[in-house]
Amino acid sequence: MYALAQKIICDSSEEFSQDIASFQEKYETRTTFDELNKSQLREKLWEVLFTYLSSDWSPSLQQRCLAVLRILSRDKTDLNELVTDDRLDLILDMAALKNPGAEEQTTFTNVTIEALKLLCNLIFNSTNVQQVLPSTSCLSCVVERMRQYDSNTPYDVMLFDTRVLFLITATNCSTRETVKRDLRGDACLIKIVENVEKQSEKEKNGTIEMDSAMLACNALKVLFNLFMHSDDSARLVDLEEDEQNKNLMSTLYKLLLKYEQEDDIQSDIVNLLTVVPYNCYSILIPPTKEKGKHVYQGVNMAAVSVLLKFLDKRLTNKDDSTVYFKLNPIVITMIRMTETERLIRKYTRLQILPPLKDVMHRPEEGTTLRANLCKLLTSPLTDLRDLVAEFLFVLCKQNVSRMVKYTGYGNAAGMFANKGLLGSKRVQADYSSESEDSDTEEYLRHKEQINPVTGCFEPPKPNPLEGMSEEQKEYEAMQLVGLVDKLTKEGLVAPCRIGEDGKPKPIEHILELHEQLPKQQYRRDSDDSD
């Protein structure tokens, strides 16, 4: 590396082309170049590459210079200083992103595509480029070019245009409102996603062209950036934007069904569903007069079924190091959908919390959706735990007794404490009065033997106090009080009572528990209807 870099710097024009081709071939996969830290090699190498790049050399030589710069730009060392305003301006020019509103038809070349690749690296790795780029013509040019996409636009241009826009809006939050409001970039992106969905109808050898899926993923990522700070409850949405949102959701519906097995695009769709306006979710359950596996009360639940399968896959194939990031979006999506659309909630509840038949095992035992979700109710990842608890609570129509029935009081106690539901208070939520719960024969047969704490059947156990005199019972009770009091004073435990707000409050002495006991008895509600 050191010798080749020195040679490139000192090369004659005849040798230069051959040596940078050799550099590209040898270091195509390298990401760091510590050897260039010596003798200002890095600065000299960038200087000579830009000298040739800005001269009137052949397009093939310019493409190679850009390719070498793309490789070098993976290393963040001194990148802010190396990418001067003049050099950035030259790159934008070669990427055809310098002259907004140009009427002449752009001819896209390999130089254009290589410049776009380099620009993506620079936005990703240079904080200076992230801040400077919005003040250039780049944003307006890339959005304008998107408006003019047609069947002759090279795929790579569309792919890297959308990636440039994603990186700018991801690294510089101030650009999002401009792209969405002033440039109406969301309309262009929605059109791209729609075209991808239409193009995916064309199949080769029975397999969907995955190039189109990659382009859709890029566009969905940008749309997520544009929607994530939108507050549909606090702003007026004009008719045009509302129509665009509906078109987007209709396209997402089709993509969900077509790319059911493709994790990447499914993931990007789910991410976007976490930030779309609430009134859009109804489009995912279109009315139908047909009969089928996913038809429920006159609507097609196929898209909801796909999302539930995606949730199940994420629950089953979770890696502890990434479980929160993988599960967070789909759980948030399901919460938003079930809170907003009654039929989605009812259908989802049937899939996750069907009428209870298995009362012999704890709720968290097994591989069902219910079991895998209940396992997370005691997860040390508190954010994920709270999300899952909220999801299950919504499915239970925010009914405490029903939540205990399906998850066990022990699993749900953390959420009850956070919400102030440990006492006898109940949440008054705006749900229909229609009952969705019919107790099964299995549940009714063993109902009195189901331990509400564990959520499963427990056979009768012998009374440990049987055979003791009253004096012995009193002695054992006082021994227990003394032990708990000792643990409290040593700071190992902190006994609590339930306050008026339904949340746990620390006590000053253990005897306070005895005084409050009648008020804290858990009342089992035998009525599961609303």
Side-chain angles (χ1 to χ4, degrees):
M1 158 67 77
Y2 184 85
L4 181 56
Q6 280 189 320
K7 191 172 186 304
I8 291 174
I9 293 169
C10 302
D11 267 346
S12 63
S13 56
E14 292 77 13
E15 297 173 318
F16 179 79
S17 178
Q18 183 178 351
D19 285 338
I20 60 171
S22 177
F23 185 99
Q24 182 182 355
E25 182 181 353
K26 288 183 179 179
Y27 304 112
E28 182 63 46
T29 59
R30 282 277 295 271
T31 57
T32 58
F33 302 93
D34 294 338
E35 303 95 323
L36 299 181
N37 294 335
K38 303 175 182 177
S39 306
Q40 295 185 314
L41 273 185
R42 192 184 306 273
E43 293 85 347
K44 294 175 182 177
L45 188 55
W46 277 71
E47 178 67 35
V48 71
L49 287 167
F50 270 97
T51 299
Y52 277 92
L53 193 60
S54 58
S55 303
D56 192 17
W57 290 92
S58 66
S60 61
L61 183 62
Q62 289 181 324
Q63 181 189 351
R64 285 179 179 174
C65 288
L66 288 166
V68 173
L69 286 167
R70 169 176 54 83
I71 295 169
L72 293 173
S73 64
R74 296 170 186 161
D75 192 329
K76 294 183 180 181
T77 306
D78 298 331
L79 199 56
N80 285 340
E81 292 74 24
L82 291 168
V83 186
T84 62
D85 289 347
D86 289 341
R87 289 175 178 177
L88 181 59
D89 191 61
L90 177 60
I91 295 168
L92 291 176
D93 191 23
M94 292 191 159
L97 295 176
K98 187 179 176 182
N99 299 312
E103 295 183 0
E104 67 273 9
Q105 182 67 36
T106 302
T107 301
F108 299 111
T109 65
N110 290 333
V111 171
T112 309
I113 295 169
E114 200 63 60
L116 283 169
K117 292 179 181 179
L118 170 58
L119 185 59
C120 288
N121 279 6
L122 295 179
I123 300 172
F124 187 75
N125 286 324
S126 170
T127 56
N128 186 53
V129 172
Q130 293 166 11
Q131 297 303 315
V132 170
L133 207 58
S135 63
T136 70
S137 58
C138 181
L139 274 175
S140 56
C141 282
V142 74
V143 173
E144 182 61 32
R145 187 154 73 196
M146 287 177 176
R147 292 194 179 102
Q148 300 175 16
Y149 283 169
D150 56 30
S151 58
N152 296 319
T153 307
Y155 167 78
D156 282 345
V157 169
M158 295 189 291
L159 182 68
F160 290 106
D161 274 353
T162 51
R163 189 164 296 174
V164 164
L165 195 55
F166 164 68
L167 290 169
I168 294 176
T169 54
T171 57
N172 192 320
C173 299
S174 64
T175 62
R176 296 172 187 170
E177 195 60 34
T178 300
V179 173
K180 185 171 175 63
R181 183 192 64 228
D182 298 338
L183 300 178
R184 297 310 297 264
D186 53 335
C188 303
L189 291 157
I190 292 171
K191 185 178 179 182
I192 291 172
V193 178
E194 289 174 351
N195 289 337
V196 166
E197 184 273 323
K198 293 174 183 176
Q199 186 176 344
S200 66
E201 294 285 356
K202 302 175 183 178
E203 299 183 0
K204 287 185 178 180
N205 302 321
T207 60
I208 297 175
E209 295 183 63
M210 293 316 300
D211 280 353
S212 296
M214 289 178 63
L215 178 57
C217 285
N218 276 358
L220 292 170
K221 285 181 171 70
V222 186
L223 284 169
F224 172 80
N225 289 344
L226 301 186
F227 274 96
M228 69 181 300
H229 288 306
S230 298
D231 184 2
D232 55 295
S233 64
R235 64 184 178 89
L236 294 176
V237 178
D238 59 43
L239 292 177
E240 182 183 357
E241 185 175 354
D242 186 56
E243 187 64 26
Q244 286 176 1
N245 291 343
K246 290 178 180 178
N247 290 341
L248 172 62
M249 291 299 289
S250 178
T251 303
L252 293 182
Y253 171 81
K254 296 172 184 176
L255 289 175
L256 274 170
L257 303 185
K258 287 182 179 179
Y259 291 95
E260 184 176 352
Q261 303 303 320
E262 301 301 328
D263 191 77
D264 287 344
I265 193 168
Q266 291 280 318
S267 179
D268 286 321
I269 292 172
V270 167
N271 286 340
L272 183 53
L273 289 176
T274 65
V275 293
V276 297
Y278 281 91
N279 64 354
C280 291
Y281 291 124
S282 60
I283 298 172
L284 294 180
I285 50 171
T288 180
K289 294 182 180 179
E290 299 177 359
K291 293 184 179 180
K293 180 180 179 182
H294 301 302
V295 175
Y296 177 75
Q297 294 193 11
V299 300
N300 189 337
M301 290 288 178
V304 179
S305 177
V306 170
L307 291 171
L308 287 171
K309 289 178 183 177
F310 184 81
L311 171 63
D312 188 37
K313 185 163 57 175
R314 287 293 168 95
L315 286 167
T316 305
N317 302 321
K318 59 180 183 291
D319 178 353
D320 289 341
S321 61
T322 59
V323 61
Y324 174 75
F325 301 102
K326 288 184 176 180
L327 278 170
N328 183 9
I330 182 60
V331 177
I332 290 176
T333 294
M334 297 310 300
I335 290 174
R336 286 167 60 98
M337 290 173 58
T338 51
E339 282 182 332
T340 307
E341 296 294 330
R342 183 177 66 91
L343 288 180
I344 293 181
R345 177 183 56 76
K346 293 178 70 175
Y347 177 81
T348 301
R349 180 169 181 263
L350 284 175
Q351 311 308 311
I352 297 179
L353 303 176
L356 195 57
K357 291 185 177 181
D358 182 7
V359 297
M360 297 299 170
H361 297 90
R362 294 192 176 203
E364 66 271 20
E365 292 179 348
T367 58
T368 63
L369 268 172
R370 172 196 172 211
N372 286 329
L373 287 168
C374 285
K375 290 170 187 174
L376 293 172
L377 292 177
T378 53
S379 169
L381 300 172
T382 55
D383 289 343
L384 178 60
R385 178 198 67 195
D386 293 344
L387 276 176
V388 170
E390 184 66 26
F391 176 42
L392 292 172
F393 200 42
V394 170
L395 292 184
C396 293
K397 299 171 77 168
Q398 299 190 1
N399 182 293
V400 171
S401 297
R402 184 174 292 168
M403 181 79 168
V404 170
K405 173 181 174 181
Y406 281 97
T407 69
Y409 190 84
N411 287 330
M415 186 205 70
F416 293 156
N418 291 338
K419 287 182 173 288
L421 300 174
L422 289 175
S424 59
K425 295 185 178 181
R426 296 291 185 266
V427 171
Q428 299 297 320
D430 185 19
Y431 290 105
S432 66
S433 59
E434 176 187 355
S435 174
E436 299 173 13
D437 207 359
S438 56
D439 290 337
T440 62
E441 292 183 8
E442 295 85 348
Y443 178 76
L444 292 173
R445 187 183 311 126
H446 300 290
K447 187 173 183 178
E448 296 306 317
Q449 285 77 44
I450 293 176
N451 185 334
V453 175
T454 62
C456 69
F457 172 85
E458 288 187 3
K461 297 179 181 179
N463 186 353
L465 301 180
E466 189 174 353
M468 288 188 181
S469 65
E470 292 301 320
E471 290 79 6
Q472 287 176 311
K473 292 177 184 179
E474 184 176 350
Y475 173 79
E476 293 296 338
M478 294 309 297
Q479 286 289 100
L480 179 60
V481 170
L483 288 172
V484 175
D485 191 43
K486 181 181 178 182
L487 291 173
T488 303
K489 290 177 179 178
E490 293 177 354
L492 297 177
V493 296
C496 298
R497 62 181 178 81
I498 307 304
E500 293 298 323
D501 60 355
K503 295 185 178 182
K505 306 291 182 183
I507 64 171
E508 295 181 2
H509 194 276
I510 195 66
L511 289 178
E512 290 184 47
L513 291 178
H514 183 269
E515 297 170 2
Q516 294 289 324
L517 187 59
K519 300 178 183 179
Q520 298 178 54
Q521 292 286 353
Y522 173 73
R523 287 194 308 129
R524 294 181 61 192
D525 192 345
S526 60
D527 184 8
D528 278 321
S529 70
D530 296 315

